[in-house]
PDB file of all heavy atoms in Angstrom:
ATOM      1  N   LEU B  38     136.458 122.466 -41.689  1.00 98.00           N
ATOM      2  CA  LEU B  38     137.283 123.302 -42.557  1.00 98.00           C
ATOM      3  C   LEU B  38     138.731 122.828 -42.489  1.00 98.00           C
ATOM      4  O   LEU B  38     139.288 122.641 -41.396  1.00 98.00           O
ATOM      5  CB  LEU B  38     137.191 124.764 -42.094  1.00 98.00           C
ATOM      6  CG  LEU B  38     138.094 125.775 -42.798  1.00 98.00           C
ATOM      7  CD1 LEU B  38     137.746 125.873 -44.273  1.00 98.00           C
ATOM      8  CD2 LEU B  38     137.981 127.136 -42.114  1.00 98.00           C
ATOM      9  N   VAL B  39     139.326 122.632 -43.649  1.00 98.00           N
ATOM     10  CA  VAL B  39     140.702 122.151 -43.701  1.00 98.00           C
ATOM     11  C   VAL B  39     141.409 122.859 -44.844  1.00 98.00           C
ATOM     12  O   VAL B  39     140.794 123.223 -45.852  1.00 98.00           O
ATOM     13  CB  VAL B  39     140.738 120.619 -43.878  1.00 98.00           C
ATOM     14  CG1 VAL B  39     140.082 120.191 -45.181  1.00 98.00           C
ATOM     15  CG2 VAL B  39     142.151 120.077 -43.771  1.00 98.00           C
ATOM     16  N   LYS B  40     142.700 123.059 -44.696  1.00 98.00           N
ATOM     17  CA  LYS B  40     143.484 123.706 -45.749  1.00 98.00           C
ATOM     18  C   LYS B  40     143.830 122.708 -46.860  1.00 98.00           C
ATOM     19  O   LYS B  40     143.899 121.493 -46.624  1.00 98.00           O
ATOM     20  CB  LYS B  40     144.766 124.281 -45.167  1.00 98.00           C
ATOM     21  CG  LYS B  40     144.571 125.516 -44.288  1.00 98.00           C
ATOM     22  CD  LYS B  40     145.901 126.041 -43.774  1.00 98.00           C
ATOM     23  CE  LYS B  40     145.778 127.420 -43.156  1.00 98.00           C
ATOM     24  NZ  LYS B  40     144.723 127.529 -42.156  1.00 98.00           N
ATOM     25  N   PRO B  41     144.046 123.212 -48.057  1.00 98.00           N
ATOM     26  CA  PRO B  41     144.488 122.319 -49.134  1.00 98.00           C
ATOM     27  C   PRO B  41     145.729 121.533 -48.717  1.00 98.00           C
ATOM     28  O   PRO B  41     146.647 122.079 -48.095  1.00 98.00           O
ATOM     29  CB  PRO B  41     144.810 123.286 -50.274  1.00 98.00           C
ATOM     30  CG  PRO B  41     143.923 124.463 -50.019  1.00 98.00           C
ATOM     31  CD  PRO B  41     143.874 124.604 -48.522  1.00 98.00           C
ATOM     32  N   GLY B  42     145.704 120.235 -49.020  1.00 98.00           N
ATOM     33  CA  GLY B  42     146.786 119.343 -48.613  1.00 98.00           C
ATOM     34  C   GLY B  42     146.545 118.686 -47.268  1.00 98.00           C
ATOM     35  O   GLY B  42     147.291 117.770 -46.892  1.00 98.00           O
ATOM     36  N   GLY B  43     145.537 119.134 -46.563  1.00 98.00           N
ATOM     37  CA  GLY B  43     145.239 118.600 -45.249  1.00 98.00           C
ATOM     38  C   GLY B  43     144.467 117.288 -45.296  1.00 98.00           C
ATOM     39  O   GLY B  43     144.177 116.755 -46.370  1.00 98.00           O
ATOM     40  N   SER B  44     144.120 116.799 -44.112  1.00 98.00           N
ATOM     41  CA  SER B  44     143.430 115.512 -43.984  1.00 98.00           C
ATOM     42  C   SER B  44     142.223 115.635 -43.069  1.00 98.00           C
ATOM     43  O   SER B  44     142.169 116.512 -42.201  1.00 98.00           O
ATOM     44  CB  SER B  44     144.376 114.456 -43.405  1.00 98.00           C
ATOM     45  OG  SER B  44     145.492 114.253 -44.235  1.00 98.00           O
ATOM     46  N   LEU B  45     141.251 114.765 -43.305  1.00 98.00           N
ATOM     47  CA  LEU B  45     140.084 114.616 -42.453  1.00 98.00           C
ATOM     48  C   LEU B  45     139.663 113.168 -42.458  1.00 98.00           C
ATOM     49  O   LEU B  45     139.897 112.455 -43.444  1.00 98.00           O
ATOM     50  CB  LEU B  45     138.906 115.464 -42.964  1.00 98.00           C
ATOM     51  CG  LEU B  45     138.837 116.954 -42.629  1.00 98.00           C
ATOM     52  CD1 LEU B  45     137.622 117.572 -43.315  1.00 98.00           C
ATOM     53  CD2 LEU B  45     138.793 117.188 -41.141  1.00 98.00           C
ATOM     54  N   ARG B  46     139.016 112.757 -41.375  1.00 98.00           N
ATOM     55  CA  ARG B  46     138.450 111.410 -41.320  1.00 98.00           C
ATOM     56  C   ARG B  46     136.972 111.526 -41.039  1.00 98.00           C
ATOM     57  O   ARG B  46     136.560 112.029 -39.989  1.00 98.00           O
ATOM     58  CB  ARG B  46     139.118 110.568 -40.246  1.00 98.00           C
ATOM     59  CG  ARG B  46     138.698 109.107 -40.278  1.00 98.00           C
ATOM     60  CD  ARG B  46     139.258 108.340 -39.119  1.00 98.00           C
ATOM     61  NE  ARG B  46     139.155 106.902 -39.296  1.00 98.00           N
ATOM     62  CZ  ARG B  46     138.818 106.048 -38.322  1.00 98.00           C
ATOM     63  NH1 ARG B  46     138.548 106.503 -37.119  1.00 98.00           N
ATOM     64  NH2 ARG B  46     138.768 104.752 -38.570  1.00 98.00           N
ATOM     65  N   LEU B  47     136.166 111.077 -41.989  1.00 98.00           N
ATOM     66  CA  LEU B  47     134.721 111.069 -41.811  1.00 98.00           C
ATOM     67  C   LEU B  47     134.288 109.738 -41.206  1.00 98.00           C
ATOM     68  O   LEU B  47     134.860 108.690 -41.519  1.00 98.00           O
ATOM     69  CB  LEU B  47     134.007 111.280 -43.144  1.00 98.00           C
ATOM     70  CG  LEU B  47     134.393 112.522 -43.945  1.00 98.00           C
ATOM     71  CD1 LEU B  47     133.505 112.629 -45.190  1.00 98.00           C
ATOM     72  CD2 LEU B  47     134.315 113.770 -43.106  1.00 98.00           C
ATOM     73  N   SER B  48     133.259 109.811 -40.378  1.00 98.00           N
ATOM     74  CA  SER B  48     132.688 108.615 -39.778  1.00 98.00           C
ATOM     75  C   SER B  48     131.184 108.582 -40.045  1.00 98.00           C
ATOM     76  O   SER B  48     130.554 109.636 -40.193  1.00 98.00           O
ATOM     77  CB  SER B  48     132.931 108.580 -38.268  1.00 98.00           C
ATOM     78  OG  SER B  48     134.302 108.589 -37.963  1.00 98.00           O
ATOM     79  N   CYS B  49     130.644 107.401 -40.084  1.00 97.00           N
ATOM     80  CA  CYS B  49     129.202 107.217 -40.249  1.00 97.00           C
ATOM     81  C   CYS B  49     128.774 106.101 -39.314  1.00 97.00           C
ATOM     82  O   CYS B  49     129.237 104.967 -39.442  1.00 97.00           O
ATOM     83  CB  CYS B  49     128.878 106.876 -41.687  1.00 97.00           C
ATOM     84  SG  CYS B  49     127.148 106.403 -41.981  1.00 97.00           S
ATOM     85  N   GLY B  50     127.886 106.421 -38.385  1.00 96.00           N
ATOM     86  CA  GLY B  50     127.346 105.419 -37.487  1.00 96.00           C
ATOM     87  C   GLY B  50     125.992 104.950 -37.986  1.00 96.00           C
ATOM     88  O   GLY B  50     125.170 105.765 -38.416  1.00 96.00           O
ATOM     89  N   ALA B  51     125.773 103.649 -37.944  1.00 94.00           N
ATOM     90  CA  ALA B  51     124.535 103.078 -38.458  1.00 94.00           C
ATOM     91  C   ALA B  51     123.769 102.369 -37.362  1.00 94.00           C
ATOM     92  O   ALA B  51     124.359 101.728 -36.488  1.00 94.00           O
ATOM     93  CB  ALA B  51     124.843 102.089 -39.580  1.00 94.00           C
ATOM     94  N   SER B  52     122.462 102.490 -37.413  1.00 91.00           N
ATOM     95  CA  SER B  52     121.594 101.743 -36.508  1.00 91.00           C
ATOM     96  C   SER B  52     120.354 101.336 -37.279  1.00 91.00           C
ATOM     97  O   SER B  52     120.013 101.929 -38.306  1.00 91.00           O
ATOM     98  CB  SER B  52     121.215 102.587 -35.287  1.00 91.00           C
ATOM     99  OG  SER B  52     120.536 103.755 -35.680  1.00 91.00           O
ATOM    100  N   GLY B  53     119.710 100.291 -36.784  1.00 87.00           N
ATOM    101  CA  GLY B  53     118.477  99.844 -37.426  1.00 87.00           C
ATOM    102  C   GLY B  53     118.677  98.970 -38.646  1.00 87.00           C
ATOM    103  O   GLY B  53     117.717  98.684 -39.356  1.00 87.00           O
ATOM    104  N   ILE B  54     119.915  98.566 -38.923  1.00 79.00           N
ATOM    105  CA  ILE B  54     120.174  97.697 -40.070  1.00 79.00           C
ATOM    106  C   ILE B  54     121.139  96.594 -39.664  1.00 79.00           C
ATOM    107  O   ILE B  54     121.891  96.735 -38.706  1.00 79.00           O
ATOM    108  CB  ILE B  54     120.782  98.449 -41.277  1.00 79.00           C
ATOM    109  CG1 ILE B  54     122.134  99.098 -40.909  1.00 79.00           C
ATOM    110  CG2 ILE B  54     119.830  99.490 -41.803  1.00 79.00           C
ATOM    111  CD1 ILE B  54     122.873  99.658 -42.098  1.00 79.00           C
ATOM    112  N   ALA B  55     121.110  95.511 -40.424  1.00 75.00           N
ATOM    113  CA  ALA B  55     122.118  94.466 -40.281  1.00 75.00           C
ATOM    114  C   ALA B  55     123.338  94.943 -41.045  1.00 75.00           C
ATOM    115  O   ALA B  55     123.537  94.617 -42.206  1.00 75.00           O
ATOM    116  CB  ALA B  55     121.587  93.157 -40.846  1.00 75.00           C
ATOM    117  N   PHE B  56     124.154  95.739 -40.399  1.00 81.00           N
ATOM    118  CA  PHE B  56     125.207  96.521 -41.061  1.00 81.00           C
ATOM    119  C   PHE B  56     126.223  95.643 -41.766  1.00 81.00           C
ATOM    120  O   PHE B  56     126.659  95.936 -42.877  1.00 81.00           O
ATOM    121  CB  PHE B  56     125.883  97.399 -40.012  1.00 81.00           C
ATOM    122  CG  PHE B  56     126.969  98.294 -40.525  1.00 81.00           C
ATOM    123  CD1 PHE B  56     126.671  99.513 -41.112  1.00 81.00           C
ATOM    124  CD2 PHE B  56     128.304  97.925 -40.415  1.00 81.00           C
ATOM    125  CE1 PHE B  56     127.668 100.336 -41.583  1.00 81.00           C
ATOM    126  CE2 PHE B  56     129.316  98.747 -40.890  1.00 81.00           C
ATOM    127  CZ  PHE B  56     128.995  99.965 -41.469  1.00 81.00           C
ATOM    128  N   GLY B  57     126.617  94.560 -41.134  1.00 82.00           N
ATOM    129  CA  GLY B  57     127.784  93.806 -41.575  1.00 82.00           C
ATOM    130  C   GLY B  57     127.698  93.219 -42.964  1.00 82.00           C
ATOM    131  O   GLY B  57     128.728  92.984 -43.592  1.00 82.00           O
ATOM    132  N   ASP B  58     126.483  92.949 -43.450  1.00 80.00           N
ATOM    133  CA  ASP B  58     126.387  92.295 -44.757  1.00 80.00           C
ATOM    134  C   ASP B  58     125.946  93.251 -45.861  1.00 80.00           C
ATOM    135  O   ASP B  58     125.571  92.821 -46.945  1.00 80.00           O
ATOM    136  CB  ASP B  58     125.438  91.101 -44.687  1.00 80.00           C
ATOM    137  CG  ASP B  58     124.015  91.521 -44.378  1.00 80.00           C
ATOM    138  OD1 ASP B  58     123.799  92.679 -43.974  1.00 80.00           O
ATOM    139  OD2 ASP B  58     123.103  90.685 -44.537  1.00 80.00           O
ATOM    140  N   LYS B  59     125.983  94.545 -45.590  1.00 87.00           N
ATOM    141  CA  LYS B  59     125.502  95.516 -46.555  1.00 87.00           C
ATOM    142  C   LYS B  59     126.637  96.312 -47.190  1.00 87.00           C
ATOM    143  O   LYS B  59     127.577  96.717 -46.519  1.00 87.00           O
ATOM    144  CB  LYS B  59     124.545  96.519 -45.892  1.00 87.00           C
ATOM    145  CG  LYS B  59     123.356  95.894 -45.187  1.00 87.00           C
ATOM    146  CD  LYS B  59     122.500  95.091 -46.132  1.00 87.00           C
ATOM    147  CE  LYS B  59     121.295  94.536 -45.378  1.00 87.00           C
ATOM    148  NZ  LYS B  59     120.570  93.546 -46.188  1.00 87.00           N
ATOM    149  N   TYR B  60     126.508  96.525 -48.493  1.00 93.00           N
ATOM    150  CA  TYR B  60     127.368  97.514 -49.129  1.00 93.00           C
ATOM    151  C   TYR B  60     127.053  98.878 -48.512  1.00 93.00           C
ATOM    152  O   TYR B  60     125.883  99.219 -48.299  1.00 93.00           O
ATOM    153  CB  TYR B  60     127.079  97.597 -50.623  1.00 93.00           C
ATOM    154  CG  TYR B  60     127.810  96.602 -51.493  1.00 93.00           C
ATOM    155  CD1 TYR B  60     127.449  95.270 -51.531  1.00 93.00           C
ATOM    156  CD2 TYR B  60     128.852  97.027 -52.319  1.00 93.00           C
ATOM    157  CE1 TYR B  60     128.115  94.373 -52.350  1.00 93.00           C
ATOM    158  CE2 TYR B  60     129.519  96.142 -53.149  1.00 93.00           C
ATOM    159  CZ  TYR B  60     129.150  94.818 -53.163  1.00 93.00           C
ATOM    160  OH  TYR B  60     129.794  93.936 -53.984  1.00 93.00           O
TER     161      TYR B  60
END
Side-chain angles (χ1 to χ4, degrees):
Chain B
L38 174 63
V39 62
K40 288 181 168 51
S44 299
L45 278 177
R46 188 186 194 221
L47 305 184
S48 300
C49 172
S52 60
I54 60 171
F56 181 82
D58 64 347
K59 304 300 182 191
Y60 274 75

